[in-house]
């Protein structure tokens, strides 16, 4: 693990756009990385962000067709999830906090399971990962509902000329924004071509990695009927109450190995060609570094990297290299060891 930037308060995301790298700090700031000196501040919205526990500024995505427009996901002072649009200008680019245009608001009944990841999918629509509303055991009953935006993966169309947003297409759910239901707390998802990879945080026993084609529709990842492949609330006959087949994880691990999965990215860089196609992920508590190879075999790289403190996220630059974000304040890049 090679440190590329440090000194952040509590970083939760790394991304790259048009030759620049950006770091999201959970209290409410976004920085751009430079080769030397302190990183310039791109956005500061601490005055409107609730930063405590799992709340804060949690996601960032740049619009693929508008170079000066980006979107964020944050928890506001009232505890509501807010997805907003901002506009950048200048060199280096800086966003005016007053340029905010709220796109979507989702009230949260509890302070945890905020999800928070946003990303543009392969067809140019914005995907939003939403937790089940928090507390524990799906207390609010959102996991299997298709008329609430909680506990679901959403898809919407956004842009400067779309007010506030548009529904991409109906996918068989009561809420047309929903692509899939049955998620507990999707703590980081990413795309590799048409494939989506999701790290969904478990309850008390099982952490899971899901992977499906974005061309599929009407999916149900099973929570709280199942926790991973374990029967949780039932009835556990492989389908939901509407007859949809439950989509089970491609990989799961139990809490003797960790406590909270952090989803990552597929490596597509050329610096370590033998890692091409490996999906990297970690765990908040145990700090291992693992990957799922193109053949489905799971590899543990922790002996070479050492455990990583509080892995809050991963990132990928425009060259396809994978980065690891530690909430302890450091952003690392995965590099090939010598010797």
């Amino acid at each position: 693990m090679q440190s590329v930037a440090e000194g952040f308060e509590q970083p939760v995301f790394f991304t790259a756009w048009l030759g620049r790298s950006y770091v999201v700090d959970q209290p409410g700031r976004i920085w751009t990385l430079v080769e030397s000196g302190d990183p310039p501040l791109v956005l500061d919205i601490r005055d409107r962000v609730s930063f405590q526990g799992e709340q804060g500024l949690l996601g960032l995505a740049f619009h693929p067709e508008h170079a000066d427009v980006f979107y964020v996901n944050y928890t506001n002072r009232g505890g509501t999830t807010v997805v907003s649009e901002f506009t950048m200008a200048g060199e280096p680019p800086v966003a005016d906090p007053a340029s905010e245009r709220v796109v979507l608001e989702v009230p949260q009944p509890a302070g945890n399971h905020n999800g928070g990841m946003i990303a543009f999918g392969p067809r140019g629509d914005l995907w939003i990962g939403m937790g089940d509303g928090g507390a524990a055991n799906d207390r609010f009953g959102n996991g299997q509902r298709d008329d609430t935006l909680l506990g679901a993966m959403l898809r919407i169309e956004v842009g400067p000329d779309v007010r506030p947003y548009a529904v991409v297409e109906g996918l068989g759910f009561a809420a047309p924004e929903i692509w899939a239901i049955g998620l507990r707390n999707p703590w980081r998802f990413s795309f590799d071509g048409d494939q989506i990879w999701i790290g969904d945080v478990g309850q008390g026993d099982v952490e899971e990695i899901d992977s499906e084609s974005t061309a599929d529709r009407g999916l149900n990842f099973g929570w709280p009927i199942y926790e991973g492949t374990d029967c949780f609330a039932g009835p556990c006959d492989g389908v939901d109450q509407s007859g949809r087949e439950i989509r089970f994880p491609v990989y799961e691990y139990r809490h003797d190995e960790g406590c909270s999965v952090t989803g990552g990215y597929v490596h597509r860089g050329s610096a370590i060609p033998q890692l091409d196609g490996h999906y990297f992920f970690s765990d908040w508590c145990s700090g291992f570094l693992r990957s799922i190879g193109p053949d489905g075999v799971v590899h543990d790289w922790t002996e070479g990297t050492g455990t990583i403190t509080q892995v809050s996220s991963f990132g990928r630059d425009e060259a396809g290299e994978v980065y690891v974000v530690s909430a302890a304040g450091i952003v690392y890049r995965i590099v090939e060891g010598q010797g």
Side-chain angles (χ1 to χ4, degrees):
M1 306 303 297
Q2 179 186 73
S3 173
V4 297
E6 54 188 74
F8 302 102
E9 186 170 352
Q10 193 162 309
V12 288
F13 190 53
F14 168 94
T15 192
W17 175 244
L18 298 181
R20 299 183 186 273
S21 299
Y22 296 86
V23 175
V24 176
D25 223 348
Q26 191 172 347
R29 293 187 287 188
I30 298 174
W31 311 86
T32 184
L33 302 186
V34 291
E35 291 186 5
S36 62
D38 294 334
L41 184 63
V42 177
L43 179 68
D44 186 347
I45 53 171
R46 288 175 293 174
D47 61 341
R48 63 201 77 171
V49 170
S50 174
F51 168 50
Q52 54 183 335
E54 297 178 21
Q55 298 179 330
L57 178 58
L58 304 175
L60 167 66
F62 290 89
H63 198 292
E65 296 180 357
H66 300 275
D68 59 344
V69 174
F70 66 85
Y71 298 82
V72 299
N73 183 321
Y74 68 90
T75 316
N76 72 12
R77 294 300 177 91
T80 293
T81 288
V82 178
V83 177
S84 284
E85 176 189 279
F86 287 89
T87 303
M88 295 190 300
E91 182 60 36
V94 174
D96 181 356
S99 70
E100 179 178 17
R101 180 178 69 85
V102 174
V103 172
L104 176 68
E105 293 181 297
V106 183
Q108 294 279 0
N112 59 338
H113 300 184
N114 286 209
M117 180 73 183
I118 55 175
F120 281 91
R123 294 165 184 80
D125 41 11
L126 184 67
W127 293 58
I128 306 165
M130 296 297 302
D132 65 4
N137 303 307
D138 193 26
R139 178 182 301 177
F140 305 104
N142 294 315
Q144 288 297 305
R145 288 178 55 183
D146 69 354
D147 59 349
T148 173
L149 302 187
L150 295 170
M153 186 66 68
L154 314 180
R155 288 174 55 195
I156 59 175
E157 182 182 341
V158 296
D161 301 323
V162 183
R163 304 296 173 125
Y165 66 87
V167 174
V168 179
E169 58 182 327
L171 297 174
F173 296 111
E177 296 92 343
I178 295 177
W179 176 76
I181 62 172
L183 292 167
R184 184 175 180 272
N185 188 30
W187 187 246
R188 301 318 188 198
F189 65 87
S190 64
F191 298 100
D192 182 54
D194 287 331
Q195 199 77 3
I196 187 172
W197 291 82
I198 307 169
D200 196 21
V201 178
Q203 174 70 37
D205 295 305
V206 183
E207 303 298 308
E208 69 178 74
I209 299 291
D210 300 297
S211 184
E212 300 288 346
S213 169
T214 58
D216 288 348
R217 57 183 63 200
L219 303 190
N220 188 341
F221 289 107
W223 173 255
I225 301 172
Y226 294 88
E227 180 189 7
T229 57
D230 283 9
C231 188
F232 188 82
C236 296
D237 52 8
V239 297
D240 65 14
Q241 60 185 1
S242 299
R244 297 186 189 92
E245 180 181 348
I246 301 297
R247 299 298 180 102
F248 290 107
V250 295
Y251 178 72
E252 64 183 19
Y253 62 93
R254 308 194 72 83
H255 279 195
D256 57 351
E257 299 180 58
C259 76
S260 181
V261 68
T262 298
Y265 285 82
V266 174
H267 193 283
R268 291 299 182 189
S270 60
I272 316 176
Q274 60 267 37
L275 294 182
D276 183 57
H278 280 248
Y279 170 78
F280 281 88
F281 63 98
S282 185
D283 183 272
W284 172 266
C285 292
S286 57
F288 61 65
L289 182 67
R290 293 177 182 172
S291 69
I292 302 173
D295 56 1
V297 175
V298 177
H299 304 260
D300 194 311
W301 306 94
T302 314
E303 182 177 349
T305 63
T307 57
I308 309 158
T309 302
Q310 297 178 335
V311 178
S312 59
S313 189
F314 284 75
R316 189 170 58 186
D317 65 19
E318 292 174 299
E321 305 296 336
V322 173
Y323 292 67
V324 183
V325 181
S326 164
I330 307 173
V331 177
Y332 300 95
R333 179 170 50 229
I334 297 175
V335 297
E336 188 168 15
Q338 302 299 315

